[in-house]
Amino acid sequence: VQLQASGGGLVQPGGSLRLSCAASGSIFNGKTVGWYRQAPGKQRELVAAIAGGGSTNYADSVKGRFTISRDNAKNTVYLQMSSLKPEDTAVYYCNTEYTDSRGVRYDYWGQGTLVTVSS
């Protein structure tokens, strides 16, 4: 199983980007998928997550600006980012984790995509 994150880049403050996280198989089905970010010198933090049923939650710092969504047919989760601020600059990672019926825990991460917000 692989998660492929893409869509990062350089954008001016106030601009928008859409990140994508594509899974190599149907690993996302019914599972929560999260977007995290890590800025230089800071710990990785959860930005947004979407559950298998579609419910979402967001970090307070991105509420009203970021939207997470999923397309189960494409095994892809998106993060639409708007009104970007310099403090949104970070490497963004997607993640899904679960424990199967045998109690084995699985934890998958994408490779990260860099978002730079700067004028």
mmCIF file of all heavy atoms in Angstrom, residues 61-88:
data_model
loop_
_atom_site.group_PDB
_atom_site.id
_atom_site.type_symbol
_atom_site.label_atom_id
_atom_site.label_comp_id
_atom_site.label_asym_id
_atom_site.label_seq_id
_atom_site.Cartn_x
_atom_site.Cartn_y
_atom_site.Cartn_z
ATOM 1 N N SER A 61 -6.819 26.517 13.568
ATOM 2 C CA SER A 61 -6.065 27.472 12.751
ATOM 3 C C SER A 61 -6.479 27.452 11.278
ATOM 4 O O SER A 61 -6.160 28.387 10.539
ATOM 5 C CB SER A 61 -4.568 27.182 12.858
ATOM 6 O OG SER A 61 -4.278 25.860 12.439
ATOM 7 N N VAL A 62 -7.185 26.399 10.847
ATOM 8 C CA VAL A 62 -7.560 26.320 9.429
ATOM 9 C C VAL A 62 -9.069 26.296 9.209
ATOM 10 O O VAL A 62 -9.524 26.290 8.064
ATOM 11 C CB VAL A 62 -6.919 25.085 8.755
ATOM 12 C CG1 VAL A 62 -5.409 25.070 8.970
ATOM 13 C CG2 VAL A 62 -7.555 23.792 9.241
ATOM 14 N N LYS A 63 -9.825 26.315 10.271
ATOM 15 C CA LYS A 63 -11.285 26.283 10.128
ATOM 16 C C LYS A 63 -11.766 27.452 9.295
ATOM 17 O O LYS A 63 -11.344 28.589 9.502
ATOM 18 C CB LYS A 63 -11.948 26.309 11.505
ATOM 19 C CG LYS A 63 -11.949 24.974 12.221
ATOM 20 C CD LYS A 63 -12.648 25.068 13.563
ATOM 21 C CE LYS A 63 -12.628 23.716 14.279
ATOM 22 N NZ LYS A 63 -13.238 23.802 15.637
ATOM 23 N N GLY A 64 -12.645 27.138 8.358
ATOM 24 C CA GLY A 64 -13.187 28.167 7.488
ATOM 25 C C GLY A 64 -12.328 28.474 6.283
ATOM 26 O O GLY A 64 -12.759 29.199 5.375
ATOM 27 N N ARG A 65 -11.114 27.930 6.258
ATOM 28 C CA ARG A 65 -10.210 28.176 5.126
ATOM 29 C C ARG A 65 -9.884 26.893 4.363
ATOM 30 O O ARG A 65 -9.671 26.934 3.158
ATOM 31 C CB ARG A 65 -8.912 28.805 5.615
ATOM 32 C CG ARG A 65 -9.090 30.130 6.326
ATOM 33 C CD ARG A 65 -7.744 30.803 6.600
ATOM 34 N NE ARG A 65 -6.889 30.003 7.482
ATOM 35 C CZ ARG A 65 -5.676 29.570 7.148
ATOM 36 N NH1 ARG A 65 -5.175 29.821 5.945
ATOM 37 N NH2 ARG A 65 -4.948 28.866 8.005
ATOM 38 N N PHE A 66 -9.832 25.782 5.073
ATOM 39 C CA PHE A 66 -9.475 24.501 4.455
ATOM 40 C C PHE A 66 -10.703 23.592 4.436
ATOM 41 O O PHE A 66 -11.536 23.620 5.355
ATOM 42 C CB PHE A 66 -8.373 23.791 5.245
ATOM 43 C CG PHE A 66 -7.012 24.433 5.164
ATOM 44 C CD1 PHE A 66 -6.815 25.690 4.624
ATOM 45 C CD2 PHE A 66 -5.903 23.747 5.647
ATOM 46 C CE1 PHE A 66 -5.556 26.266 4.565
ATOM 47 C CE2 PHE A 66 -4.634 24.311 5.591
ATOM 48 C CZ PHE A 66 -4.476 25.574 5.055
ATOM 49 N N THR A 67 -10.776 22.775 3.397
ATOM 50 C CA THR A 67 -11.855 21.796 3.293
ATOM 51 C C THR A 67 -11.284 20.447 2.884
ATOM 52 O O THR A 67 -10.583 20.354 1.869
ATOM 53 C CB THR A 67 -12.904 22.232 2.258
ATOM 54 O OG1 THR A 67 -13.440 23.504 2.630
ATOM 55 C CG2 THR A 67 -14.039 21.217 2.189
ATOM 56 N N ILE A 68 -11.579 19.429 3.678
ATOM 57 C CA ILE A 68 -11.144 18.071 3.347
ATOM 58 C C ILE A 68 -12.321 17.326 2.736
ATOM 59 O O ILE A 68 -13.473 17.496 3.155
ATOM 60 C CB ILE A 68 -10.591 17.353 4.597
ATOM 61 C CG1 ILE A 68 -9.914 16.033 4.209
ATOM 62 C CG2 ILE A 68 -11.676 17.142 5.646
ATOM 63 C CD1 ILE A 68 -9.145 15.378 5.356
ATOM 64 N N SER A 69 -12.022 16.526 1.735
ATOM 65 C CA SER A 69 -13.070 15.740 1.072
ATOM 66 C C SER A 69 -12.471 14.438 0.576
ATOM 67 O O SER A 69 -11.244 14.271 0.559
ATOM 68 C CB SER A 69 -13.692 16.531 -0.084
ATOM 69 O OG SER A 69 -12.713 16.815 -1.070
ATOM 70 N N ARG A 70 -13.338 13.531 0.180
ATOM 71 C CA ARG A 70 -12.849 12.239 -0.297
ATOM 72 C C ARG A 70 -13.659 11.774 -1.497
ATOM 73 O O ARG A 70 -14.846 12.084 -1.612
ATOM 74 C CB ARG A 70 -12.891 11.200 0.830
ATOM 75 C CG ARG A 70 -14.268 10.855 1.351
ATOM 76 C CD ARG A 70 -14.167 10.067 2.671
ATOM 77 N NE ARG A 70 -13.422 8.829 2.514
ATOM 78 C CZ ARG A 70 -12.805 8.204 3.520
ATOM 79 N NH1 ARG A 70 -12.857 8.702 4.754
ATOM 80 N NH2 ARG A 70 -12.156 7.065 3.297
ATOM 81 N N ASP A 71 -12.990 11.046 -2.366
ATOM 82 C CA ASP A 71 -13.636 10.409 -3.504
ATOM 83 C C ASP A 71 -13.297 8.931 -3.404
ATOM 84 O O ASP A 71 -12.214 8.511 -3.809
ATOM 85 C CB ASP A 71 -13.136 11.015 -4.814
ATOM 86 C CG ASP A 71 -13.854 10.464 -6.035
ATOM 87 O OD1 ASP A 71 -14.382 9.333 -5.966
ATOM 88 O OD2 ASP A 71 -13.878 11.138 -7.063
ATOM 89 N N ASN A 72 -14.196 8.161 -2.844
ATOM 90 C CA ASN A 72 -13.903 6.756 -2.596
ATOM 91 C C ASN A 72 -13.695 5.972 -3.890
ATOM 92 O O ASN A 72 -12.914 5.019 -3.926
ATOM 93 C CB ASN A 72 -15.017 6.120 -1.764
ATOM 94 C CG ASN A 72 -15.047 6.644 -0.345
ATOM 95 O OD1 ASN A 72 -14.011 7.004 0.219
ATOM 96 N ND2 ASN A 72 -16.226 6.709 0.249
ATOM 97 N N ALA A 73 -14.381 6.370 -4.939
ATOM 98 C CA ALA A 73 -14.222 5.673 -6.216
ATOM 99 C C ALA A 73 -12.799 5.821 -6.759
ATOM 100 O O ALA A 73 -12.302 4.934 -7.462
ATOM 101 C CB ALA A 73 -15.229 6.188 -7.221
ATOM 102 N N LYS A 74 -12.171 6.946 -6.431
ATOM 103 C CA LYS A 74 -10.809 7.208 -6.900
ATOM 104 C C LYS A 74 -9.765 6.924 -5.831
ATOM 105 O O LYS A 74 -8.570 7.157 -6.060
ATOM 106 C CB LYS A 74 -10.678 8.660 -7.364
ATOM 107 C CG LYS A 74 -11.530 9.002 -8.578
ATOM 108 C CD LYS A 74 -11.306 10.436 -9.015
ATOM 109 C CE LYS A 74 -12.117 10.771 -10.258
ATOM 110 N NZ LYS A 74 -11.911 12.174 -10.704
ATOM 111 N N ASN A 75 -10.213 6.436 -4.666
ATOM 112 C CA ASN A 75 -9.279 6.179 -3.563
ATOM 113 C C ASN A 75 -8.406 7.397 -3.274
ATOM 114 O O ASN A 75 -7.186 7.279 -3.076
ATOM 115 C CB ASN A 75 -8.384 4.968 -3.878
ATOM 116 C CG ASN A 75 -9.172 3.709 -4.093
ATOM 117 O OD1 ASN A 75 -10.067 3.380 -3.316
ATOM 118 N ND2 ASN A 75 -8.866 3.002 -5.171
ATOM 119 N N THR A 76 -9.037 8.555 -3.252
ATOM 120 C CA THR A 76 -8.306 9.804 -3.108
ATOM 121 C C THR A 76 -8.980 10.705 -2.086
ATOM 122 O O THR A 76 -10.214 10.766 -2.026
ATOM 123 C CB THR A 76 -8.214 10.541 -4.457
ATOM 124 O OG1 THR A 76 -7.545 9.681 -5.403
ATOM 125 C CG2 THR A 76 -7.414 11.826 -4.338
ATOM 126 N N VAL A 77 -8.155 11.363 -1.303
ATOM 127 C CA VAL A 77 -8.615 12.372 -0.352
ATOM 128 C C VAL A 77 -7.967 13.701 -0.733
ATOM 129 O O VAL A 77 -6.794 13.741 -1.095
ATOM 130 C CB VAL A 77 -8.262 11.976 1.088
ATOM 131 C CG1 VAL A 77 -8.556 13.103 2.064
ATOM 132 C CG2 VAL A 77 -9.043 10.723 1.489
ATOM 133 N N TYR A 78 -8.748 14.769 -0.637
ATOM 134 C CA TYR A 78 -8.290 16.094 -1.047
ATOM 135 C C TYR A 78 -8.263 17.046 0.145
ATOM 136 O O TYR A 78 -9.006 16.887 1.110
ATOM 137 C CB TYR A 78 -9.233 16.674 -2.106
ATOM 138 C CG TYR A 78 -9.396 15.798 -3.315
ATOM 139 C CD1 TYR A 78 -10.490 14.953 -3.440
ATOM 140 C CD2 TYR A 78 -8.454 15.813 -4.342
ATOM 141 C CE1 TYR A 78 -10.654 14.141 -4.544
ATOM 142 C CE2 TYR A 78 -8.611 15.003 -5.464
ATOM 143 C CZ TYR A 78 -9.713 14.169 -5.548
ATOM 144 O OH TYR A 78 -9.869 13.364 -6.655
ATOM 145 N N LEU A 79 -7.420 18.041 0.025
ATOM 146 C CA LEU A 79 -7.416 19.135 0.983
ATOM 147 C C LEU A 79 -7.405 20.432 0.174
ATOM 148 O O LEU A 79 -6.394 20.780 -0.436
ATOM 149 C CB LEU A 79 -6.205 19.082 1.917
ATOM 150 C CG LEU A 79 -6.202 20.144 3.007
ATOM 151 C CD1 LEU A 79 -7.336 19.879 4.011
ATOM 152 C CD2 LEU A 79 -4.862 20.184 3.743
ATOM 153 N N GLN A 80 -8.554 21.084 0.127
ATOM 154 C CA GLN A 80 -8.662 22.376 -0.542
ATOM 155 C C GLN A 80 -8.271 23.460 0.452
ATOM 156 O O GLN A 80 -8.903 23.592 1.511
ATOM 157 C CB GLN A 80 -10.089 22.605 -1.037
ATOM 158 C CG GLN A 80 -10.296 23.951 -1.709
ATOM 159 C CD GLN A 80 -9.530 24.079 -3.013
ATOM 160 O OE1 GLN A 80 -9.579 23.190 -3.861
ATOM 161 N NE2 GLN A 80 -8.828 25.190 -3.174
ATOM 162 N N MET A 81 -7.252 24.220 0.110
ATOM 163 C CA MET A 81 -6.741 25.246 1.005
ATOM 164 C C MET A 81 -6.954 26.617 0.363
ATOM 165 O O MET A 81 -6.512 26.833 -0.776
ATOM 166 C CB MET A 81 -5.253 25.020 1.283
ATOM 167 C CG MET A 81 -4.945 23.618 1.802
ATOM 168 S SD MET A 81 -3.220 23.399 2.253
ATOM 169 C CE MET A 81 -2.437 23.591 0.659
ATOM 170 N N SER A 82 -7.612 27.494 1.070
ATOM 171 C CA SER A 82 -7.890 28.836 0.573
ATOM 172 C C SER A 82 -7.418 29.862 1.595
ATOM 173 O O SER A 82 -7.159 29.525 2.754
ATOM 174 C CB SER A 82 -9.388 28.993 0.309
ATOM 175 O OG SER A 82 -9.856 28.020 -0.598
ATOM 176 N N SER A 83 -7.356 31.105 1.152
ATOM 177 C CA SER A 83 -6.915 32.198 2.034
ATOM 178 C C SER A 83 -5.632 31.825 2.762
ATOM 179 O O SER A 83 -5.505 32.000 3.975
ATOM 180 C CB SER A 83 -8.019 32.548 3.039
ATOM 181 O OG SER A 83 -9.214 32.910 2.379
ATOM 182 N N LEU A 84 -4.701 31.309 2.013
ATOM 183 C CA LEU A 84 -3.464 30.811 2.612
ATOM 184 C C LEU A 84 -2.658 31.937 3.244
ATOM 185 O O LEU A 84 -2.631 33.070 2.745
ATOM 186 C CB LEU A 84 -2.643 30.064 1.576
ATOM 187 C CG LEU A 84 -3.166 28.652 1.272
ATOM 188 C CD1 LEU A 84 -2.612 28.146 -0.056
ATOM 189 C CD2 LEU A 84 -2.806 27.697 2.396
ATOM 190 N N LYS A 85 -1.999 31.583 4.346
ATOM 191 C CA LYS A 85 -1.192 32.522 5.100
ATOM 192 C C LYS A 85 0.251 32.017 5.152
ATOM 193 O O LYS A 85 0.485 30.807 5.033
ATOM 194 C CB LYS A 85 -1.726 32.639 6.525
ATOM 195 C CG LYS A 85 -3.191 33.012 6.626
ATOM 196 C CD LYS A 85 -3.647 32.977 8.080
ATOM 197 C CE LYS A 85 -5.120 33.323 8.197
ATOM 198 N NZ LYS A 85 -5.586 33.291 9.614
ATOM 199 N N PRO A 86 1.193 32.894 5.364
ATOM 200 C CA PRO A 86 2.596 32.441 5.477
ATOM 201 C C PRO A 86 2.773 31.353 6.540
ATOM 202 O O PRO A 86 3.590 30.444 6.358
ATOM 203 C CB PRO A 86 3.336 33.716 5.846
ATOM 204 C CG PRO A 86 2.535 34.804 5.203
ATOM 205 C CD PRO A 86 1.114 34.366 5.354
ATOM 206 N N GLU A 87 1.993 31.409 7.592
ATOM 207 C CA GLU A 87 2.112 30.401 8.654
ATOM 208 C C GLU A 87 1.567 29.036 8.247
ATOM 209 O O GLU A 87 1.703 28.066 8.995
ATOM 210 C CB GLU A 87 1.427 30.870 9.946
ATOM 211 C CG GLU A 87 0.015 31.345 9.773
ATOM 212 C CD GLU A 87 -0.063 32.863 9.659
ATOM 213 O OE1 GLU A 87 0.763 33.447 8.932
ATOM 214 O OE2 GLU A 87 -0.979 33.449 10.287
ATOM 215 N N ASP A 88 0.965 28.945 7.075
ATOM 216 C CA ASP A 88 0.544 27.634 6.550
ATOM 217 C C ASP A 88 1.699 26.917 5.850
ATOM 218 O O ASP A 88 1.551 25.753 5.457
ATOM 219 C CB ASP A 88 -0.607 27.796 5.561
ATOM 220 C CG ASP A 88 -1.872 28.324 6.204
ATOM 221 O OD1 ASP A 88 -2.211 27.847 7.319
ATOM 222 O OD2 ASP A 88 -2.539 29.187 5.611
#
